[in-house]
Amino acid sequence: MSNGNWGRWGADDERGALNLLTPDVVKAAAGAVSSGRIYSLGVPIQREGVPLMDYRGTPMRLTLQDSTDDGIYDMYGAKKGTGAHEDVLVMASHTTSHMDALVHVYDDYQHYNGVAHDTMHALGGAQQLGIEKVGAFAARAVLLDMVKYFGDDEWVEYGRNITGDDLAGAASAAGVEVRAGDVVLVRTGYLQGWYDAHQKGAEHQFAQAGIGIDAAQWLADRDVVAVGSDNAAVECIPFDGDDFLAVHKVLLVRHGIYMLEFLDLAAAAADGVTEGLLAVCPLKVTGATGSPINPVLIA
Amino acid sequence: MSNGNWGRWGADDERGALNLLTPDVVKAAAGAVSSGRIYSLGVPIQREGVPLMDYRGTPMRLTLQDSTDDGIYDMYGAKKGTGAHEDVLVMASHTTSHMDALVHVYDDYQHYNGVAHDTMHALGGAQQLGIEKVGAFAARAVLLDMVKYFGDDEWVEYGRNITGDDLAGAASAAGVEVRAGDVVLVRTGYLQGWYDAHQKGAEHQFAQAGIGIDAAQWLADRDVVAVGSDNAAVECIPFDGDDFLAVHKVLLVRHGIYMLEFLDLAAAAADGVTEGLLAVCPLKVTGATGSPINPVLIA
Amino acid sequence: MSNGNWGRWGADDERGALNLLTPDVVKAAAGAVSSGRIYSLGVPIQREGVPLMDYRGTPMRLTLQDSTDDGIYDMYGAKKGTGAHEDVLVMASHTTSHMDALVHVYDDYQHYNGVAHDTMHALGGAQQLGIEKVGAFAARAVLLDMVKYFGDDEWVEYGRNITGDDLAGAASAAGVEVRAGDVVLVRTGYLQGWYDAHQKGAEHQFAQAGIGIDAAQWLADRDVVAVGSDNAAVECIPFDGDDFLAVHKVLLVRHGIYMLEFLDLAAAAADGVTEGLLAVCPLKVTGATGSPINPVLIA
Amino acid sequence: MSNGNWGRWGADDERGALNLLTPDVVKAAAGAVSSGRIYSLGVPIQREGVPLMDYRGTPMRLTLQDSTDDGIYDMYGAKKGTGAHEDVLVMASHTTSHMDALVHVYDDYQHYNGVAHDTMHALGGAQQLGIEKVGAFAARAVLLDMVKYFGDDEWVEYGRNITGDDLAGAASAAGVEVRAGDVVLVRTGYLQGWYDAHQKGAEHQFAQAGIGIDAAQWLADRDVVAVGSDNAAVECIPFDGDDFLAVHKVLLVRHGIYMLEFLDLAAAAADGVTEGLLAVCPLKVTGATGSPINPVLIA
């Protein structure tokens, strides 16, 4: 496999495709705001009723202080009836809607830019490519509603491998162009399928529609910054070519293109949004492999 | 104390001043982008070296899986050398840079809009006014660098009560206007003082410069959506009028105006930024009293 | 309902039936050791494959440091090849095998000895009756194998309400006497049923055999210190008299008698153990409502 | 360094010196109970006021449910006024009083019995030698009060390297014999020194009195099962021979002898206890490197 963007922004680069977001590109992205409508793309973080994976444990909001602690601020002269509530959060960095750091996946024991896979330390965290290198960013977003494009009812058939031609077709049909520096949001309807199955008490499908290697390469050729989707892994499952995490290898590892998973794109798609300004604000956790996110799309 | 905005957006409203962010206001806010430069305002989340409060516990990034787990994906047909790193995060919802939900503080046993303080349940979380009601938002931001305005060296004198006149003066001097729907970012330099003391191994000051009741009322009168600062509580400590959380009561409780704490405003201030588009993306944790944030300012 | 042991050991007592464990009683208990065989009664604490309750979250052992951190002790002069592994544990205090503190359950808004139910604070923890008041203890244990006594195959019929006469009969059949200061271990086989269902991928039964109010009173009349069982709540479910936590009210609330849940009694029962010395060592977590335990039975 | 007990109990043995605890040895140990007095040796687990190490994070007891959740059992038919309190615990496995599993420390990249150091997996935990292999145990304990023996005031001089002769002398002076299968408890007074410094707001000493290599070998020669102390690491700091974890290497790695750290031995020592039956009940956390403990000493 070609090494895509390795070395393109320097041998020590840790930000990958985010380098494409020059001030000019960001300024132009702000021009994608047309109506001022806002969409919060995060799936709720809660113990149940949202897609979770067992090995990541139960996300927990635990109360740190509540009204039972009334009086603890007396020592600071607090007036009677004054108080505060707080929580502690316990959750995987890859809980529901999240962003993968470049240190998340490795292929042939290497991450983006040839960083060795053992750069991740248990106590020390990621020595390179951690989520804190991202900062927070804003970019033009293009929303491709594949459910609509394929003429499916509520979601794209589970397991379907979405191709570059499919993305090109959907963009063309929507009258929107994918440009360098964009975030491409690919809606498959998987999330709606998940909620539907959950409501019916049915088994959740592990198989999911998503982009395959061809589409990943198509996106990389267009110099996108990130790819987001409303499914678990952006890519189709079963994996393209039966290669576990095949699309992560093309995007994250070879090109330094970020991946945003389990975004809720339904409301924006229902409103016919095709482009906008997207702000993505991962928590700046030093050494982390990703972060839960709740991006805002300004259409 | 007057009840400010209680009832203004309906007896059942749970979003407070976010109601001011109509599409037209957001669209206009996008016009505040001039250069396209981006600032990530989050302070890192890590075990030490950043301002933390003991009772909130140590924020921890704990490795969920790393290279020592090599081979666990064999069952999925992963090729040799393919793997993934993940973490679990344990942190207070009010860790380093964070946003207060309207359920955070109560006064006279009531939150914004008259919601009773026992709406916060230990297991159930906030029954009303939780952070998930915020979604994510974008607004015009005005940055008032009080260090520069007061002519201080690196930080405003600890404990100084910043007034409405001070804010008006700083805005005027910077040639920027505070409008309805804005987020006002008040830089005090406290964070730089903290880092300075930390580096020297000195005691951290609990006293901090911040806005007082007068400035809070001034901001509420201008219908701002949120107030952010680079200190622990937005407000000055010792508290104005020796009333514990006095400014929280004016802003959060009486007016439903959000508070963003421990934002790192130094880089933007150093570049002379005075306005921009700010995106704030709190984690959508159901029932939480706040969220760590890493807002992006697009200047 | 009578208030049982309230006031018996003083109006301020926080240890309940543990007061029965005078040195003489403990010394006599040591005489119950006959063979020197040891049984560890704790069910493993792990993410799956053991009985867990969803609302308590996934118990997690998270690696704090492992071999990927090699070299972090260089600063202390560690020789090459020297290192340490550590973990962080996240688990409910009532995970798998656990002991209830007297502050765990309340009835009529009161705990043992009339302590008000709001003695439990979110931040501050239990102001009274917390698990740290227990310390650690050792007592004579009597093991009543109800599966054997009832002539059941592997477990007592789900939902069966075990009575005082049943316990008396089982003790008599086993040739063992229940004395003041004892811990009575009641084996129902529920745990084996759980493992059996788990292995088969079958639904777990919520209904469970356990003691009812009559047996609880029988035990209280004999001044036992604690009652342990191999099910989720010691008591039968559906609850006796359809009164939620009916047996907890008799034992824990009215008599200050401790409850030990989800103990693995199978190995000791298989060996025909009927008495021994039992040591119970709950973690001394200040203000906690209980603790995971792994008691040792010395037969 | 000789490999001590490697291979002694089989090439696949994972329990080390616990193999010495045959039923006969345990039965004899029960004979060490003389008065029936009980000592809980665990230091409290709480956020502050006890010796903690920063990198292990703040131990947290977080309330899972309290009186603010009143009514959540209505669906189960709970009577008004009936409820339960629960917590979630977040703590290092090596918090305050704890037991090291054999997988804790490695030397020359090997653990006890030649197990490779990468047997510890981030997600999978210890593949061998984890704390769950211990179960729970009881053994005769000998308490050697080195403060008394050395004639020190409240604690042994910080940094003092306690030798085998010192232990022999203390045992002789106390009229107690160290036998195969014993747990030896070495009191240095460090914990009292810690509390004293804490109360005064003074700096805590990192240097500590503890056993050195000579004493470790002396103990190994006597086939003890475990060594406990009232300091952070059983061994003296600075480390004997400037070899980081020198005593851990002798005891844990070479001999499979367990180490119990930060035990509170003051009360037992004050009562002049020199022997007893000790029960140690580590949590049975699958794959963990250790466990918090609260052993009970029955004198």
Side-chain angles (χ1 to χ4, degrees):
Chain A
M1 189 180 289
S2 113
N3 278 340
N5 288 329
W6 292 19
R8 177 173 173 186
W9 296 290
D12 295 335
D13 176 61
E14 301 191 43
R15 301 192 78 233
L18 281 168
N19 285 290
L20 296 162
L21 289 178
T22 60
D24 282 351
V25 169
V26 174
K27 188 177 172 182
V33 174
S34 56
S35 71
R37 279 171 302 168
I38 271 183
Y39 301 91
S40 156
L41 305 186
V43 168
I45 298 175
Q46 53 191 37
R47 291 162 179 269
E48 56 179 355
V50 295
L52 299 170
M53 297 188 80
D54 284 350
Y55 77 96
R56 288 172 177 157
T58 312
M60 294 190 284
R61 182 213 56 76
L62 294 158
T63 299
L64 181 60
Q65 59 182 60
D66 67 20
S67 57
T68 58
D69 296 297
D70 196 41
I72 58 174
Y73 295 122
D74 288 358
M75 71 179 94
Y76 302 112
K79 289 188 183 164
K80 196 168 160 51
T82 299
H85 306 302
E86 296 198 11
D87 334 77
V88 168
L89 309 176
V90 179
M91 63 181 70
S93 54
H94 292 247
T95 291
T96 66
S97 308
H98 64 268
M99 176 174 181
D100 294 342
L102 295 182
V103 79
H104 176 46
V105 165
Y106 55 91
D107 175 25
D108 201 16
Y109 298 113
Q110 288 180 305
H111 296 284
Y112 165 74
N113 230 359
V115 171
H117 81 308
D118 58 5
T119 193
M120 183 71 201
H121 296 183
L123 179 63
Q127 303 299 298
Q128 292 163 276
L129 306 179
I131 195 72
E132 79 276 18
K133 303 293 165 57
V134 169
F137 69 96
R140 176 174 174 266
V142 167
L143 171 52
L144 303 179
D145 185 351
M146 305 312 292
V147 184
K148 183 178 175 190
Y149 176 64
F150 289 142
D152 284 313
D153 192 19
E154 293 190 80
W155 50 83
V156 179
E157 182 189 359
Y158 294 131
R160 178 164 182 168
N161 181 329
I162 297 170
T163 67
D165 279 354
D166 292 336
L167 297 182
S172 175
V176 69
E177 190 189 11
V178 173
R179 302 177 195 148
D182 278 358
V183 176
V184 177
L185 303 173
V186 181
R187 181 169 182 269
T188 69
Y190 177 82
L191 191 58
Q192 276 61 51
W194 191 94
Y195 284 128
D196 183 73
H198 184 74
Q199 201 164 22
K200 292 174 177 160
E203 284 288 304
H204 299 299
Q205 291 290 330
F206 188 58
Q208 64 177 24
I211 63 171
I213 294 174
D214 178 73
Q217 192 58 53
W218 186 91
L219 289 158
D221 289 346
R222 272 146 196 80
D223 262 350
V224 302
V225 165
V227 184
S229 203
D230 59 348
N231 60 18
V234 173
E235 59 188 304
C236 61
I237 297 178
F239 294 101
D240 197 350
D242 279 327
D243 185 11
F244 185 68
L245 295 177
V247 167
H248 278 73
K249 293 179 180 183
V250 176
L251 295 178
L252 204 62
V253 180
R254 299 294 157 188
H255 292 90
I257 295 172
Y258 292 83
M259 301 175 76
L260 315 175
E261 286 148 357
F262 270 131
L263 300 185
D264 191 340
L265 304 171
D271 285 355
V273 171
T274 57
E275 68 171 336
L277 176 68
L278 182 77
V280 183
C281 301
L283 299 183
K284 204 181 280 181
V285 183
T286 305
T289 65
S291 172
I293 53 172
N294 179 18
V296 59
L297 175 62
I298 314 163
Chain B
M1 190 180 288
S2 113
N3 278 339
N5 288 329
W6 292 19
R8 177 173 173 187
W9 296 290
D12 295 334
D13 176 60
E14 300 191 44
R15 303 192 76 234
L18 281 168
N19 285 289
L20 295 163
L21 288 178
T22 59
D24 282 352
V25 169
V26 174
K27 188 178 171 181
V33 175
S34 56
S35 70
R37 281 171 302 167
I38 272 182
Y39 301 91
S40 157
L41 306 185
V43 168
I45 298 175
Q46 54 191 36
R47 291 160 180 271
E48 55 179 355
V50 293
L52 299 170
M53 298 188 79
D54 283 350
Y55 78 96
R56 287 171 177 158
T58 312
M60 294 190 285
R61 182 213 57 76
L62 294 158
T63 299
L64 181 60
Q65 59 181 61
D66 67 19
S67 58
T68 58
D69 296 297
D70 196 41
I72 58 172
Y73 295 123
D74 288 358
M75 72 179 94
Y76 302 113
K79 289 188 183 164
K80 197 168 159 52
T82 300
H85 305 302
E86 295 198 11
D87 333 76
V88 166
L89 310 175
V90 179
M91 63 180 69
S93 54
H94 293 246
T95 291
T96 64
S97 308
H98 64 268
M99 175 174 181
D100 294 342
L102 295 183
V103 78
H104 176 47
V105 166
Y106 55 89
D107 176 25
D108 201 16
Y109 298 113
Q110 288 180 304
H111 295 285
Y112 166 73
N113 229 0
V115 171
H117 82 310
D118 58 6
T119 194
M120 183 70 198
H121 295 184
L123 179 63
Q127 303 299 298
Q128 292 162 276
L129 306 178
I131 196 73
E132 78 276 18
K133 302 295 165 56
V134 168
F137 69 96
R140 175 172 176 266
V142 167
L143 171 51
L144 303 179
D145 185 351
M146 305 312 293
V147 184
K148 182 178 176 191
Y149 176 65
F150 289 142
D152 284 314
D153 192 18
E154 293 190 81
W155 49 84
V156 179
E157 181 189 0
Y158 294 132
R160 178 164 183 169
N161 182 329
I162 298 170
T163 67
D165 278 353
D166 292 335
L167 297 182
S172 175
V176 69
E177 187 189 15
V178 173
R179 302 177 195 148
D182 278 358
V183 175
V184 176
L185 303 173
V186 181
R187 181 169 182 270
T188 68
Y190 177 82
L191 191 58
Q192 276 61 51
W194 192 95
Y195 284 128
D196 183 73
H198 184 74
Q199 203 164 18
K200 292 175 179 158
E203 283 288 304
H204 300 298
Q205 290 291 328
F206 188 59
Q208 63 177 25
I211 62 171
I213 294 174
D214 179 71
Q217 192 59 53
W218 186 91
L219 289 159
D221 289 346
R222 272 145 194 81
D223 263 350
V224 302
V225 164
V227 183
S229 203
D230 59 349
N231 59 17
V234 173
E235 59 189 303
C236 60
I237 296 178
F239 295 102
D240 197 350
D242 279 327
D243 185 12
F244 184 69
L245 296 177
V247 167
H248 278 72
K249 293 178 180 184
V250 175
L251 294 178
L252 204 63
V253 179
R254 300 295 157 189
H255 291 91
I257 295 172
Y258 292 84
M259 301 177 74
L260 314 175
E261 286 147 358
F262 269 132
L263 301 185
D264 190 340
L265 304 171
D271 285 355
V273 172
T274 57
E275 68 171 335
L277 176 66
L278 182 76
V280 184
C281 301
L283 299 183
K284 204 182 283 182
V285 183
T286 304
T289 64
S291 172
I293 52 172
N294 178 18
V296 59
L297 175 63
I298 314 162
Chain C
M1 189 180 290
S2 112
N3 278 340
N5 288 330
W6 293 18
R8 178 173 172 187
W9 296 289
D12 295 335
D13 176 61
E14 301 191 43
R15 302 192 77 233
L18 281 167
N19 285 289
L20 296 162
L21 289 177
T22 59
D24 283 350
V25 169
V26 174
K27 187 177 172 183
V33 174
S34 55
S35 70
R37 280 171 302 167
I38 270 182
Y39 301 91
S40 155
L41 305 186
V43 167
I45 297 175
Q46 52 190 37
R47 291 160 180 272
E48 55 180 354
V50 294
L52 299 169
M53 298 187 80
D54 284 350
Y55 78 96
R56 287 171 177 158
T58 311
M60 294 190 285
R61 181 212 58 76
L62 294 158
T63 298
L64 181 60
Q65 59 182 60
D66 66 22
S67 57
T68 59
D69 297 296
D70 196 41
I72 56 174
Y73 296 122
D74 288 358
M75 72 179 95
Y76 301 112
K79 289 189 183 163
K80 196 167 159 53
T82 300
H85 306 302
E86 295 198 12
D87 333 78
V88 167
L89 309 176
V90 179
M91 64 180 69
S93 54
H94 292 247
T95 291
T96 66
S97 307
H98 64 268
M99 176 175 179
D100 295 341
L102 295 183
V103 78
H104 175 46
V105 166
Y106 55 90
D107 176 24
D108 202 16
Y109 299 113
Q110 289 179 303
H111 294 285
Y112 166 73
N113 229 0
V115 171
H117 81 309
D118 58 6
T119 194
M120 183 71 200
H121 296 183
L123 180 63
Q127 303 300 298
Q128 293 163 276
L129 306 179
I131 195 72
E132 80 275 18
K133 303 294 165 57
V134 168
F137 69 95
R140 176 173 175 265
V142 167
L143 171 52
L144 303 179
D145 186 351
M146 305 312 292
V147 184
K148 182 178 175 191
Y149 176 65
F150 289 143
D152 284 314
D153 191 19
E154 293 191 80
W155 49 83
V156 178
E157 183 189 357
Y158 294 132
R160 178 164 182 168
N161 182 331
I162 297 170
T163 66
D165 279 354
D166 292 335
L167 297 183
S172 175
V176 69
E177 190 189 13
V178 173
R179 301 177 195 148
D182 279 358
V183 176
V184 176
L185 302 173
V186 181
R187 182 169 180 266
T188 69
Y190 177 82
L191 191 58
Q192 276 61 51
W194 192 95
Y195 284 128
D196 182 74
H198 185 73
Q199 201 165 22
K200 292 174 176 160
E203 283 288 305
H204 299 299
Q205 291 290 329
F206 188 58
Q208 64 177 24
I211 63 171
I213 295 174
D214 178 72
Q217 192 58 53
W218 186 90
L219 290 159
D221 289 346
R222 272 145 195 81
D223 263 348
V224 301
V225 164
V227 184
S229 203
D230 59 349
N231 59 18
V234 173
E235 59 188 303
C236 61
I237 295 178
F239 294 102
D240 197 349
D242 279 328
D243 185 12
F244 185 68
L245 296 177
V247 166
H248 278 72
K249 293 180 180 182
V250 175
L251 294 179
L252 205 62
V253 180
R254 299 295 157 189
H255 292 90
I257 295 172
Y258 291 83
M259 301 175 77
L260 315 175
E261 285 147 359
F262 269 132
L263 300 185
D264 191 341
L265 305 172
D271 284 354
V273 172
T274 56
E275 67 170 336
L277 176 68
L278 182 77
V280 183
C281 301
L283 299 183
K284 205 181 280 182
V285 183
T286 305
T289 64
S291 172
I293 52 172
N294 178 18
V296 59
L297 175 63
I298 314 163
Chain D
M1 189 180 290
S2 113
N3 278 340
N5 289 329
W6 293 19
R8 177 174 174 187
W9 297 289
D12 295 336
D13 176 59
E14 301 190 44
R15 303 191 76 233
L18 281 168
N19 286 289
L20 296 163
L21 288 177
T22 59
D24 282 350
V25 169
V26 175
K27 188 177 171 181
V33 174
S34 56
S35 71
R37 280 171 301 167
I38 272 182
Y39 301 91
S40 155
L41 305 186
V43 168
I45 299 175
Q46 53 191 36
R47 292 161 180 271
E48 55 179 355
V50 293
L52 299 169
M53 297 188 78
D54 283 350
Y55 77 96
R56 289 173 175 155
T58 313
M60 293 190 285
R61 182 213 57 78
L62 294 158
T63 298
L64 180 60
Q65 59 181 60
D66 67 20
S67 58
T68 58
D69 296 297
D70 196 41
I72 57 173
Y73 295 124
D74 287 358
M75 71 178 95
Y76 302 113
K79 289 189 184 164
K80 195 168 161 53
T82 300
H85 306 303
E86 296 198 11
D87 334 77
V88 166
L89 310 176
V90 179
M91 63 179 69
S93 54
H94 293 245
T95 292
T96 64
S97 308
H98 63 269
M99 175 173 180
D100 294 342
L102 294 183
V103 79
H104 176 47
V105 165
Y106 55 89
D107 175 25
D108 201 16
Y109 299 113
Q110 289 180 303
H111 295 285
Y112 166 73
N113 228 0
V115 171
H117 81 310
D118 58 5
T119 194
M120 184 69 199
H121 296 183
L123 180 63
Q127 304 299 298
Q128 291 163 277
L129 306 179
I131 195 72
E132 79 276 17
K133 302 294 164 57
V134 168
F137 69 95
R140 176 172 175 265
V142 167
L143 171 51
L144 303 179
D145 185 352
M146 305 312 293
V147 184
K148 183 178 175 191
Y149 176 65
F150 289 141
D152 284 315
D153 191 19
E154 294 190 79
W155 48 83
V156 179
E157 181 189 0
Y158 293 133
R160 177 164 184 169
N161 182 332
I162 298 170
T163 66
D165 279 353
D166 292 335
L167 297 183
S172 175
V176 69
E177 188 189 15
V178 173
R179 303 177 194 148
D182 277 358
V183 175
V184 176
L185 304 173
V186 182
R187 181 167 182 270
T188 69
Y190 177 82
L191 190 59
Q192 275 61 52
W194 192 95
Y195 284 128
D196 183 73
H198 183 74
Q199 202 164 20
K200 292 175 177 159
E203 283 288 304
H204 299 299
Q205 291 290 330
F206 189 58
Q208 62 177 26
I211 63 171
I213 293 174
D214 178 72
Q217 192 59 52
W218 186 91
L219 289 159
D221 289 345
R222 273 146 194 79
D223 263 350
V224 303
V225 164
V227 184
S229 203
D230 59 348
N231 59 17
V234 172
E235 59 188 303
C236 60
I237 297 178
F239 294 102
D240 197 350
D242 278 329
D243 185 11
F244 184 68
L245 295 177
V247 167
H248 279 72
K249 293 179 180 183
V250 175
L251 294 178
L252 204 62
V253 179
R254 300 293 158 191
H255 291 90
I257 295 172
Y258 292 83
M259 300 176 76
L260 315 175
E261 286 148 356
F262 270 132
L263 301 185
D264 191 340
L265 304 171
D271 285 354
V273 171
T274 57
E275 67 171 336
L277 176 67
L278 182 77
V280 183
C281 301
L283 299 183
K284 205 183 281 181
V285 183
T286 305
T289 65
S291 172
I293 52 171
N294 179 17
V296 59
L297 175 63
I298 315 163

